[in-house]
Amino acid sequence: MTTFCETNVRTYVVDAAGRHGVWFLSLDAARLGAVVVARTRFRLPYFWSSMALTRVGDEITYRCRRRAPRPAAAESRVRVRIGAPFAAADLGPREHSLTARWRLFSAAGGRRRHAPVWHEPWPLHRADLLDVDDHLLTAAGLPHPTGDPLVHYSPGVDVRIGAQRP
């Protein structure tokens, strides 16, 4: 198992068979090996990025700057203050829907694929957004966001991805 910084821009989808999953518009990772494997094996839109996560007390600063493949210049900087953990009873359908995705979808050569995903439930904390300067959304072709963002923090979980199927 390896640990490295990763940021993704994703949307939530349901396929023709009614299976819920995640469609990644972009994924940035600090490990070149992980990027190469994910791009070739899973056909996911990974980018090799210079990334840093700094924690001082209850504040986290997360930075991302794409390196390759080109032309994909994009940067992101986010600073949050970590709050109290959510109790299981405090988590509603929205939090479950955003974090409990057990399948990923991708496409290559005109063929759609899916793969099962396994992970423990995400331990979520409340969080306050202190600063954001993000260009990953617009680099993925999405409009600049408006309104207040939904912000949570998680220390992460181990994730395993199964074999892809057509």
Side-chain angles (χ1 to χ4, degrees):
M1 181 181 74
T2 62
T3 301
F4 55 90
C5 291
E6 179 178 89
T7 299
N8 63 69
V9 176
R10 63 188 183 195
T11 189
Y12 303 92
V13 297
V14 179
D15 72 2
R19 295 174 294 206
H20 292 255
V22 176
W23 184 275
F24 292 102
L25 301 171
S26 71
L27 299 107
D28 289 79
R31 287 268 169 93
L32 179 58
V35 170
V36 170
V37 168
R39 284 183 80 85
T40 56
R41 181 173 176 206
F42 295 104
R43 304 293 193 238
L44 293 171
Y46 262 88
F47 297 89
W48 181 36
S49 297
S50 172
M51 304 179 86
L53 182 133
T54 306
R55 182 171 182 168
V56 177
D58 63 352
E59 288 187 17
I60 297 247
T61 302
Y62 197 78
R63 291 183 173 90
C64 172
R65 183 181 48 80
R66 284 193 182 155
R67 294 176 167 177
R70 298 282 183 213
E75 294 186 17
S76 178
R77 185 187 74 250
V78 177
R79 189 167 57 99
V80 299
R81 179 177 300 117
I82 303 167
F86 281 97
D90 294 337
L91 299 173
R94 177 174 60 179
E95 287 80 14
H96 180 73
S97 178
L98 293 173
T99 61
R101 293 302 168 152
W102 314 113
R103 181 166 312 281
L104 66 81
F105 295 97
S106 66
R111 295 185 62 201
R112 293 187 185 128
R113 304 165 189 243
H114 65 93
V117 176
W118 297 276
H119 59 75
E120 294 295 321
W122 287 83
L124 295 177
H125 292 246
R126 291 167 177 82
D128 296 312
L129 181 64
L130 303 175
D131 185 34
V132 63
D133 183 18
D134 179 76
H135 303 278
L136 298 177
L137 293 172
T138 54
L142 298 173
H144 186 77
T146 59
D148 294 331
L150 174 65
V151 181
H152 293 77
Y153 165 80
S154 178
V157 295
D158 293 332
V159 177
R160 294 179 319 189
I161 301 171
Q164 282 191 319
R165 299 179 184 106

